[in-house]
Amino acid sequence: MKKFRITGKLKTYLEWPLAMIILWAALVAVLFWKADVVAGVIGLAFFAVYTVIALILYLHSGSKLKNEMISFATQYGQVQKRMLQEFALPYALLDENGCFLWMNDEFISLSGKDKHYHKSISLLFPEIKKDMLPTAEVSSECTLKIDDSVYRVEFVKIDIDELLDSESPFEVGENEYLITVSLFDETEYTKVIAERENNKPVVGIMCIDNFEEVMEGVEEVRRSLLVALTERKISRFFSDVDGIVKRQGNDRYFFMMTKKALNECIESRFQILDDVKTIKIGNELSMTLSAGVGVGSNSYLTDADAAAEALELALGRGGDQIVVKDGFQTRFFGGKSESTERITRVKARVKAHALKEIIDSRNRIIVMGHKLTDIDSLGAAIGICRAAATEGKPAHIVADDVSESVMPTMELFIADHEYDDELFITRERAKELTGADTALIVVDTNRTKYTACEELLELTNTVVVLDHHRQGPDRIQNAVLSYIEPYASSACEMVAEVLQYFSDELKLKALEADAMYAGIMVDTNNFTTRTGVRTFEAAAYLRKNGADISRVRKLFRDKMEELRAKAKTIADAEIYEGIYAISVCPNEGLTAPTVVSAQAANELLDVVGIKASFVLTDYNDQIYISARAIDEVNVQLIMEQMGGGGHLNVAGAQLPDYTIEEAMKLLKDTIAQMKEEEEF
């Protein structure tokens, strides 16, 4: 304990009588000087008496006053300690290591410990880690849940010198600093915030994907009953979650609910998606629903716009799913069934006419596909270039990052002198040629980061997208024309349809027809997967324009190294959980290991009992995954979880900064997690 000393105004109060001695001395001197000796002696006598009395009072009163102040300070410290001990707020003191030194009655009652408990706070409350404690001259906070109550925990660092100067009632020991812990009960506040969050408005738009197709297959007398049963299913679903729904046409509904109700729907994985498929009164096709939900703002208008955008995204991904947009977060539910092929070609005709108008209005056409251009991307780009040539507009293809498997096809075009020397250009050259009068046409991808040159999207306002992959949150946003059909087998199939309605003067050359036919063959695995009526119609159109199967087959004959790598990939495949074939494709000596891995993934599906196959390969400092399935597993959902995408039975992903072992573990963990969440 430091030595007690009287300072400040109290010291001045005690010492002022001593200061008066100086005045008395001056007065005595004046008396001797101005008056007679008698007066001076009398003054001197009074001066002596005053001085003696002042000194006695100072010495006696100062000591007594110190004792009184010490007694008061002791009583004050006891009162202070008792006030803290009985304080209604849980309060405790920790040493620099986070161990309890002292806790008040309320903290003792809350923790169930006694005043002799001196262990770490992390042992008492595991949620509080040592790194949460303050180490600087600032406070820190965290949230703690005890039973059904929620507390805000505030930590404050206190220097030892401050405690000593304030005569703290605590035993500070040899610690350099202490930490105070205060618990503020915010249970009611948290409940109010949660209730406010749960009551936030949620706006949604729902539509029946295949309303017209289903109605065409139902007898006319049963159509009204089918509509009534469908509407009853939808109304009952929303009434069960305290929501409202309003029909806005034959196949469209507008609905509203609270965020709490939305969370209930998410927990049930939107059961309405499966319920509506059970409606059967003579219809061969099952109805499927798509919906967009907007949430996260305090504006109905903003949420409604988000819902409309989410619905467009759901339909662009093939339908039979619900997309929830919560601010910048987008979540997908459903999408487990294959998209229904639409026999009508009205949409293709409309898109063809719109594409023709765009090409006519621009002076130059730039076509690009995705990174590591494959034959489907190249064939679709060739078809667009033929459309531009028909209108007399120069066209170029961004192709300085291509798969080795498409080089033979490109060399045929380069060797043909009928084509411009700049038919294939680099990214840098494309940037030089792209301007306000340029139309940029993107084929075989709709995702910004997957395009061959992302910078081109910002260099022109005229962007067209033609793709057959399901849309994702990072899709190209500024397209003036977007034609995305997930049911299509390939981008070449879509372009072949568009070319048929583009112009009567358009005539494909045999080499161009070969490239597009090859694109369809590769993406359909020789017409065995994802083929429909329109796939064969597109192939027939290309055959009429000179496509030759023998020439196409010669383009894709395997090298001996590729056959050995494919055989090793299949031989080394691991059967995971009895139904998934997972393997690694070696890249030594291969110019296009991604193509070989895709072929191996296709062949692994021929093994009895295998429902899905995944082949990984290390190429260009990242891991490529080729995923394939027949019908029971949605590999597109699995790949989306890993940052990729694709279709229900043909998908893939690219993992930069991963090793093969890390990518393998991530794949298995993703499958296990999705099985646990019953995603498939």
Side-chain angles (χ1 to χ4, degrees):
M1 184 69 69
K2 294 181 179 180
K3 186 177 180 180
F4 183 86
R5 294 191 303 174
I6 298 176
T7 59
K9 291 184 178 181
L10 188 58
K11 181 180 179 181
T12 303
Y13 175 77
L14 290 174
E15 293 180 350
W16 77 265
L18 298 179
M20 293 295 293
I21 294 176
I22 300 174
L23 295 177
W24 272 108
L27 180 60
V28 170
V30 171
L31 288 176
F32 275 110
W33 180 35
K34 295 294 184 180
D36 52 21
V37 176
V38 176
V41 171
I42 294 172
L44 183 61
F46 276 103
F47 170 72
V49 172
Y50 177 82
T51 301
V52 171
I53 294 173
L55 289 172
I56 292 173
L57 289 175
Y58 176 76
L59 296 174
H60 178 72
S61 299
S63 177
K64 186 176 181 180
L65 184 59
K66 287 181 180 180
N67 291 333
E68 291 291 338
M69 291 183 65
I70 291 172
S71 177
F72 172 77
T74 302
Q75 294 177 16
Y76 179 78
Q78 293 297 324
V79 171
Q80 183 185 37
K81 186 173 182 178
R82 184 170 180 179
M83 288 178 62
L84 286 175
Q85 193 71 41
E86 298 177 356
F87 195 34
L89 181 74
Y91 188 84
L93 196 67
L94 309 177
D95 64 14
E96 57 192 20
N97 295 317
C99 297
F100 285 99
L101 293 174
W102 174 87
M103 59 180 72
N104 69 356
D105 294 341
E106 192 66 25
F107 202 102
I108 290 173
S109 175
L110 182 67
S111 64
K113 303 298 181 180
D114 56 30
K115 62 181 181 180
H116 301 296
Y117 186 82
H118 299 300
K119 295 182 179 180
S120 173
I121 190 173
S122 298
L123 295 177
L124 183 60
F125 304 121
E127 299 93 332
I128 300 177
K129 308 300 181 184
K130 190 173 181 179
D131 56 5
M132 296 180 181
L133 302 178
T135 56
E137 298 298 328
V138 293
S139 60
S140 60
E141 293 183 354
C142 68
T143 301
L144 179 65
K145 187 172 183 180
I146 303 176
D147 296 330
D148 294 329
S149 300
V150 179
Y151 293 89
R152 177 172 59 88
V153 185
E154 183 180 276
F155 302 99
V156 179
K157 180 182 175 183
I158 302 178
D159 288 334
I160 293 298
D161 292 339
E162 296 178 8
L163 290 175
L164 293 176
D165 290 341
S166 62
E167 298 296 330
S168 170
F170 308 117
E171 293 292 335
V172 298
E174 297 181 356
N175 293 284
E176 296 182 2
Y177 63 87
L178 301 181
I179 301 171
T180 64
V181 183
S182 304
L183 271 61
F184 300 91
D185 191 345
E186 296 188 344
T187 305
E188 293 301 322
Y189 173 76
T190 304
K191 287 182 179 178
V192 171
I193 295 298
E195 185 175 352
R196 178 178 177 273
E197 186 70 17
N198 287 334
N199 288 329
K200 275 189 175 181
V202 173
V203 179
I205 306 172
M206 177 180 289
C207 72
I208 301 174
D209 301 324
N210 53 351
F211 182 81
E212 294 182 359
E213 289 84 353
V214 172
M215 288 302 169
E216 288 178 359
V218 179
E219 297 178 5
E220 188 172 353
V221 293
R222 295 188 177 184
R223 291 178 182 175
S224 58
L225 178 59
L226 179 59
V227 172
L229 288 175
T230 304
E231 188 168 350
R232 183 182 178 187
K233 285 271 188 185
I234 295 173
S235 299
R236 179 175 294 179
F237 173 79
F238 286 103
S239 64
D240 288 344
V241 295
D242 196 26
I244 58 174
V245 60
K246 180 69 175 177
R247 185 177 176 185
Q248 293 185 318
N250 291 333
D251 60 349
R252 189 169 289 255
Y253 298 84
F254 178 84
F255 62 87
M256 291 186 65
M257 62 175 73
T258 63
K259 191 171 183 180
K260 179 181 179 181
L262 175 63
N263 291 334
E264 293 176 2
C265 295
I266 290 175
E267 289 180 4
S268 67
R269 315 302 296 179
F270 287 96
Q271 187 61 37
I272 185 63
L273 292 173
D274 296 325
D275 290 346
V276 75
K277 296 176 185 176
T278 63
I279 303 175
K280 293 288 185 180
I281 55 168
N283 51 304
E284 295 182 3
L285 289 176
S286 296
M287 279 192 175
T288 60
L289 296 177
S290 290
V293 179
V295 63
S297 74
N298 294 320
S299 168
Y300 287 104
L301 182 60
T302 303
D303 285 341
D305 291 341
E309 184 179 349
L311 177 61
E312 180 183 354
L313 181 56
L315 294 174
R317 289 166 54 86
D320 187 28
Q321 58 192 282
I322 293 178
V323 178
V324 179
K325 287 187 68 67
D326 187 352
F328 294 103
Q329 182 183 19
T330 304
R331 302 177 64 185
F332 304 94
F333 302 91
K336 302 176 184 178
S337 60
E338 185 61 274
S339 306
T340 304
E341 181 183 20
R342 291 165 175 78
I343 304 302
T344 176
R345 293 191 176 190
V346 174
K347 192 173 183 179
R349 184 183 298 113
V350 171
K351 299 296 183 181
H353 291 167
L355 179 63
K356 186 175 185 300
E357 291 179 2
I358 291 173
I359 292 177
D360 287 340
S361 65
R362 294 294 179 268
N363 295 330
R364 187 181 301 275
I365 309 300
I366 301 291
V367 190
M368 72 171 174
H370 51 73
K371 295 176 181 176
L372 199 60
T373 302
D374 59 14
I375 189 60
D376 184 36
S377 177
L378 179 67
I382 290 294
I384 296 297
C385 288
R386 171 48 54 195
T390 302
E391 299 301 307
K393 300 299 174 68
H396 314 275
I397 301 173
V398 182
D400 60 348
D401 179 21
V402 299
S403 171
E404 188 70 23
S405 62
V406 305
M407 287 303 299
T409 305
M410 287 182 59
E411 290 170 356
L412 293 175
F413 284 95
I414 295 172
D416 194 328
H417 298 295
E418 292 187 18
Y419 294 97
D420 190 275
D421 292 339
E422 286 195 318
L423 174 63
F424 302 110
I425 59 177
T426 64
R427 295 187 186 92
E428 297 304 320
R429 180 56 176 160
K431 293 177 187 178
E432 295 174 2
L433 296 176
T434 303
D437 61 344
T438 303
L440 175 64
I441 302 179
V442 181
V443 295
D444 203 27
T445 184
N446 62 72
R447 304 178 69 172
T448 303
K449 66 178 182 179
Y450 280 10
T451 55
C453 184
E454 189 175 338
E455 294 89 341
L456 294 180
L457 297 171
E458 306 297 330
L459 298 179
T460 179
N461 293 325
T462 307
V463 178
V464 178
V465 179
L466 290 91
D467 185 32
H468 66 115
H469 297 99
R470 291 188 175 190
Q471 297 185 57
D474 58 340
R475 68 192 186 282
I476 297 171
Q477 300 284 353
N478 59 336
V480 296
L481 176 62
S482 182
Y483 185 22
I484 300 175
E485 292 290 2
Y487 66 80
S489 69
S490 58
C492 286
E493 175 190 323
M494 295 178 61
V495 172
E497 283 188 345
V498 168
L499 295 182
Q500 294 179 61
Y501 300 105
F502 187 85
S503 172
D504 293 337
E505 288 79 25
L506 190 149
K507 175 67 176 177
L508 287 171
K509 295 184 178 181
L511 185 56
E512 297 165 347
D514 284 348
M516 295 181 66
Y517 193 92
I520 297 177
M521 280 187 61
V522 170
D523 270 28
T524 60
N525 193 21
N526 291 325
F527 296 95
T528 59
T529 60
R530 295 188 52 77
T531 54
V533 174
R534 294 171 65 169
T535 306
F536 291 103
E537 289 178 348
Y541 167 74
L542 296 174
R543 287 278 286 156
K544 285 191 292 185
N545 279 268
D548 185 275
I549 298 177
S550 298
R551 288 198 303 264
V552 172
R553 184 178 178 184
K554 289 179 181 179
L555 290 174
F556 293 100
R557 287 186 294 184
D558 294 327
K559 299 177 182 177
M560 185 56 68
E561 295 82 2
E562 294 173 342
L563 283 175
R564 290 194 181 102
K566 191 189 307 181
K568 180 173 175 54
T569 302
I570 296 172
D572 294 344
E574 171 191 355
I575 308 302
Y576 178 64
E577 293 191 356
I579 58 174
Y580 305 105
I582 303 177
S583 188
V584 176
C585 177
N587 57 7
E588 295 83 2
L590 299 182
T591 56
T594 56
V595 175
V596 177
S597 64
Q599 294 172 348
N602 283 326
E603 294 192 19
L604 282 170
L605 289 179
D606 294 333
V607 179
V608 175
I610 297 301
K611 296 182 179 180
S613 62
F614 305 88
V615 177
L616 296 76
T617 187
D618 190 348
Y619 184 60
N620 286 345
D621 297 325
Q622 59 183 340
I623 305 302
Y624 287 78
I625 303 179
S626 295
R628 300 292 185 269
I630 298 178
D631 57 358
E632 296 182 67
V633 176
N634 190 336
V635 292
Q636 182 258 339
L637 293 179
I638 300 175
M639 292 297 99
E640 271 194 342
Q641 290 290 326
M642 300 177 67
H647 301 284
L648 183 143
N649 48 18
V650 178
Q654 300 173 18
L655 303 176
D657 303 322
Y658 271 78
T659 64
I660 285 290
E661 293 74 17
E662 292 171 342
M664 185 83 74
K665 184 178 184 302
L666 177 62
L667 174 61
K668 292 180 179 179
D669 291 345
T670 302
I671 293 173
Q673 178 185 349
M674 296 186 69
K675 285 190 67 177
E676 183 178 347
E677 296 176 356
E678 297 182 354
E679 288 285 351
F680 50 83

